[in-house]
Amino acid sequence: MANLEVPKELREEAKAHDMYLHPIDKDTYELFFGPQHMATENFSIILKMDGNRVEKAIVNPGFLHRGFEKLAEQRPYFTNIALLLRICVPESDVPENIYSMAVDEIVGWEVPDRAIWIRNVVLEMARMAAWMFWIMGFGNEIGLYTAGQWAAAYRERFMRLFEELTGGRVYHIYTVPGGVRRDIPGDRWLRQLRDTVEYLKGKLKDFDEILFDNYIMFERTEGVGVMDKKFALKHAVTGPNLRAVGVPYDVRKDDPYYLYDQLDFEVPVLKEGDSLARVLVRRYEMEQDLYILEQLLDMGPPSGPYMVQDARLKALPRFKPPAGEAYAHVESTKGDFGAFVVSDGTHKPYRVHVRGPSQSHGVTVLEELLKGARLADVPVILKTLDNCPPDIDR
Amino acid sequence: MDMNEKPKVEEKVQEEATMEEKPTLPNTKEGKLVKALLEKAPYAQGEVIRERRVKFTVPADRIHEFLELASETFEMLMQISVVDWLKEGQFEVTYQLWSVSESVHAFVKTRIPRDGAKLPTVMDIWPVAETYEREAHEFFGIIFEGNPRLGPFILEPREYEKHPLRKDFNMLSYVKAIYGEDFDRYDESKTNYVI
């Protein structure tokens, strides 16, 4: 048994936890994590393990739908909405909005006030629905399934509202260049939305008790996957992950779009940069999103058209914007989501390049943070970074 | 007379455009930022597009130098976009930067020939460039000198050398070649195919 010895680090950890380790081979081994693993969502990581510890991680994307950017070059402008929204499934309104905003800028359209209000409400609803989806995944990762099941049920309330507004539950195809596809169903829908917001405000306390203020959650996330401010900036980490290291960057405040410069909300910032900080930043943001929705509902939809008045919209497949380019970005639950659209004056976009936030924190950052983590922490780091694989392989 | 007058007007407009090669920068946050950067890098051209959007055009051989200067103000590299201008035989590479401190988004553009496209890596400035460069290399075939991980990333190895986002890559005929008779819906004689 000469060549079989327990690494010193492992031995010490086992001793600290009153455990007796059997001798294991000191050689490392390779572990394929995903794409079928529940935690990874069509995403694979090749781990080089030393006992229980990750020595090296290699991200291996490409198991998902591909070629949206190429397909977008072969379709007319308005048809692309139905394609690009599939980039981020839990938050499908974000790709719709960034693409529409970029095309609006190229054409030079002033979107009517009513459409802007509706788009803003839809984006915030999408954020809430995506948070619920995230709780579902994260709760499952650390073994608190009840929270996940509650969240899935609460998400259903938003899905129903979306269905009444747009006709679709998950994929909405609602925000189009120039405005939105149709008007709000009526005052009843607005009342239902207000009821849902009120309901969820009460339910956040329940989530605190079962998930965010839970001993298990603290044990599993505190000090796991720590990054510092400089590292995060150099790796272009955005969204809640960046705010968890102490940088108050939020697209809604720093590059305001729609009505956000008229709304009153806070950008939660924590400094620790570990998984716990990332989870708590998200918890505070849920509260802010509900507050934003409340303010928008108090404001009420402005009267007027919901679509820009333009004669060119009558012949949609042959609609030609002028040559030009634009970059638009919004704050999604994953981070800074952007679209770069180039037009050459024909009826199809010349190039659409989508900047998914997971492109930065799902590849290089994940590989760095996984170094030295325990195997059980791999899903926790993955979920607290909120990695969305379709952002990477578009 | 009308027909004769029109070209004259156009000529005048063109003359004016060539006269004003260096448009004056507005006295705003963005204008000052562009001016400060152009003083350090006189080889580049810069302009303000609108509020919180600026644009720089840099020759390809000095792109690394310029980005190193720019990284002092622009902390984050948001993405590297490549546009294939097939008729001109050029790739337009756009480095999109975001300044957290100033809240300004910058496009840094450079053009390189399509054949044997090469650029220096900017991994030493922003480590995240590794991912963006791998993607640009795989889909367009641009070689980023100094990036150790250029190779199959998202695509399968058999697709790796094809560079599918180039404009001269025919997606339908590639699928036909790979899947053969299984893909019987595609008719090559049809023009303006709707997928």
Side-chain angles (χ1 to χ4, degrees):
Chain A
M1 299 292 280
N3 59 345
L4 292 179
E5 65 180 29
V6 183
K8 196 185 163 197
E9 195 191 343
L10 254 180
R11 206 164 50 221
E12 279 170 4
E13 193 187 328
K15 203 177 165 190
H17 288 85
D18 247 0
M19 281 164 67
Y20 301 96
L21 273 187
H22 294 288
I24 53 162
D25 197 314
K26 69 173 180 180
D27 290 332
T28 53
Y29 60 96
E30 224 174 37
L31 185 69
F32 283 67
F33 196 81
Q36 293 91 353
H37 194 282
M38 270 178 68
T40 56
E41 293 177 15
N42 313 324
F43 184 69
S44 158
I45 311 167
I46 302 166
L47 299 170
K48 191 178 167 198
M49 303 291 299
D50 182 356
N52 191 21
R53 294 274 173 191
V54 179
E55 203 166 76
K56 194 184 176 189
I58 298 168
V59 163
N60 180 23
F63 291 91
L64 218 70
H65 33 32
R66 289 180 301 185
F68 286 162
E69 286 177 4
K70 181 78 177 177
L71 273 170
E73 290 170 7
Q74 307 182 3
R75 287 158 172 255
Y77 273 88
F78 278 71
T79 330
N80 273 332
I81 294 284
L83 178 78
L84 292 170
L85 87 174
R86 281 163 173 82
I87 286 173
C88 193
V89 183
E91 211 175 0
S92 60
D93 294 287
V94 167
E96 280 181 23
N97 270 282
I98 47 177
Y99 176 75
S100 302
M101 278 160 83
V103 176
D104 286 343
E105 195 183 323
I106 291 174
V107 185
W109 272 334
E110 287 278 333
V111 181
D113 289 347
R114 192 176 178 86
I116 283 184
W117 186 87
I118 298 174
R119 279 185 186 190
N120 205 334
V121 168
V122 163
L123 264 184
E124 283 302 321
M125 280 169 69
R127 275 174 71 84
M128 272 321 290
W131 290 132
M132 292 297 132
F133 201 79
W134 170 77
I135 292 182
M136 201 167 88
F138 175 68
N140 290 1
E141 283 344 309
I142 61 170
L144 300 168
Y145 293 92
T146 314
Q149 283 156 5
W150 286 359
Y154 302 152
R155 184 171 186 260
E156 195 61 26
R157 289 184 159 244
F158 285 105
M159 296 290 102
R160 268 186 221 153
L161 287 169
F162 270 131
E163 191 174 9
E164 204 174 331
L165 179 67
T166 68
R169 279 165 49 80
V170 178
Y171 297 127
H172 306 138
I173 320 180
Y174 183 63
T175 311
V176 290
V180 290
R181 204 155 46 85
R182 56 191 232 200
D183 207 351
I184 313 170
D187 287 345
R188 197 176 63 86
W189 186 83
L190 292 173
R191 277 201 303 278
Q192 279 177 350
L193 179 57
R194 195 184 278 275
D195 286 350
T196 308
V197 171
E198 284 296 320
Y199 181 75
L200 267 173
K201 264 168 87 180
K203 290 298 167 192
L204 276 184
K205 284 170 195 145
D206 291 356
F207 275 127
D208 281 351
E209 279 175 21
I210 199 168
L211 183 71
F212 297 113
D213 207 1
N214 193 323
Y215 174 75
I216 300 172
M217 212 273 291
F218 278 77
E219 280 291 300
R220 289 297 303 274
T221 54
E222 203 164 5
V224 171
V226 189
M227 59 176 158
D228 63 0
K229 197 171 167 178
K230 201 180 162 196
F231 174 88
L233 284 173
K234 289 271 179 198
H235 282 84
V237 176
T238 48
N241 300 331
L242 185 65
R243 292 193 279 277
V245 298
V247 183
Y249 166 54
D250 188 317
V251 187
R252 295 175 294 177
K253 287 271 188 202
D254 290 279
D255 193 3
Y257 49 95
Y258 298 160
L259 297 167
Y260 284 112
D261 46 357
Q262 300 169 29
L263 295 167
D264 168 41
F265 64 99
E266 281 173 17
V267 179
V269 174
L270 288 175
K271 281 186 180 160
E272 289 78 11
D274 58 351
S275 296
L276 179 64
R278 292 196 283 272
V279 170
L280 292 180
V281 163
R282 291 195 167 89
R283 161 67 184 80
Y284 298 138
E285 279 192 25
M286 278 175 217
E287 214 169 290
Q288 293 300 321
D289 286 341
L290 289 175
Y291 181 43
I292 290 173
L293 270 175
E294 219 170 30
Q295 286 180 58
L296 282 166
L297 285 169
D298 286 343
M299 221 184 255
S303 56
Y306 58 87
M307 189 76 185
V308 79
Q309 305 295 311
D310 195 321
R312 284 176 287 183
L313 287 173
K314 281 174 184 159
L316 271 188
R318 293 286 141 197
F319 165 73
K320 285 180 189 169
E325 60 182 25
Y327 177 80
H329 58 161
V330 303
E331 183 73 26
S332 80
T333 57
K334 317 272 180 280
D336 184 344
F337 221 117
F340 179 59
V341 181
V342 180
S343 159
D344 64 340
T346 57
H347 68 289
K348 295 168 185 170
Y350 194 75
R351 173 97 167 96
V352 180
H353 190 197
V354 176
R355 193 250 176 212
S358 305
Q359 245 180 317
S360 54
H361 69 237
V363 186
T364 35
V365 173
L366 185 66
E367 283 172 355
E368 287 293 320
L369 292 193
L370 283 181
K371 273 180 197 164
R374 292 184 307 161
L375 181 58
D377 290 338
V378 174
V380 172
I381 294 174
L382 197 66
K383 276 288 161 194
T384 52
L385 283 172
D386 206 358
N387 184 16
C388 191
D391 289 357
I392 303 167
D393 44 358
R394 299 173 305 282
Chain B
M1 285 299 282
D2 288 350
M3 294 295 283
N4 292 336
E5 269 173 19
K6 266 194 174 177
K8 277 180 191 171
V9 176
E10 273 183 14
E11 272 173 18
K12 272 183 187 173
V13 172
Q14 275 178 1
E15 272 174 17
E16 276 171 13
T18 46
M19 285 287 279
E20 277 184 49
E21 260 197 358
K22 282 190 177 175
T24 47
L25 293 162
N27 191 19
T28 53
K29 175 179 76 178
E30 295 83 8
K32 282 172 195 161
L33 213 152
V34 173
K35 203 179 165 191
L37 207 59
L38 288 186
E39 272 168 14
K40 286 184 205 165
Y43 48 84
Q45 289 175 323
E47 59 179 291
V48 177
I49 302 171
R50 66 169 174 87
E51 203 186 354
R52 294 188 294 274
R53 294 278 189 285
V54 298
K55 189 170 120 181
F56 298 97
T57 315
V58 188
D61 51 339
R62 307 192 79 164
I63 187 77
H64 188 275
E65 193 183 327
F66 182 82
L67 287 173
E68 207 155 17
L69 274 175
S71 70
E72 289 164 16
T73 346
F74 297 92
E75 295 94 343
M76 290 209 278
L77 173 67
M78 301 310 271
Q79 64 178 9
I80 300 176
S81 303
V82 187
V83 184
D84 181 7
W85 295 103
L86 186 63
K87 282 177 193 161
E88 294 153 44
Q90 281 178 329
F91 282 132
E92 187 184 67
V93 184
T94 309
Y95 295 81
Q96 308 204 15
L97 316 177
W98 175 262
S99 166
V100 178
S101 46
E102 302 277 344
S103 297
V104 175
H105 186 97
F107 302 100
V108 180
K109 286 176 181 285
T110 186
R111 286 203 175 219
I112 47 172
R114 280 178 101 245
D115 302 323
K118 262 183 197 175
L119 274 175
T121 180
V122 289
M123 268 175 69
D124 46 340
I125 309 172
W126 296 283
V128 70
E130 184 186 282
T131 315
Y132 305 148
E133 285 170 1
R134 281 166 86 186
E135 191 188 290
H137 170 72
E138 192 168 35
F139 288 110
F140 289 94
I142 301 172
I143 291 168
F144 291 90
E145 285 167 327
N147 189 329
R149 289 180 77 180
L150 298 180
F153 175 42
I154 290 168
L155 301 178
E156 285 176 35
R158 70 172 178 215
E159 294 157 349
Y160 162 61
E161 287 294 329
K162 306 276 184 197
H163 310 310
L165 275 175
R166 284 189 180 193
K167 284 283 174 186
D168 51 1
F169 175 82
N170 190 337
M171 196 165 65
L172 287 168
S173 62
Y174 171 73
V175 174
K176 181 96 175 165
I178 291 287
Y179 297 103
E181 288 175 359
D182 294 343
F183 188 66
D184 53 354
R185 285 180 300 161
Y186 174 47
D187 185 0
E188 271 173 36
S189 60
K190 254 175 124 177
T191 54
N192 196 11
Y193 209 90
V194 179
I195 306 154

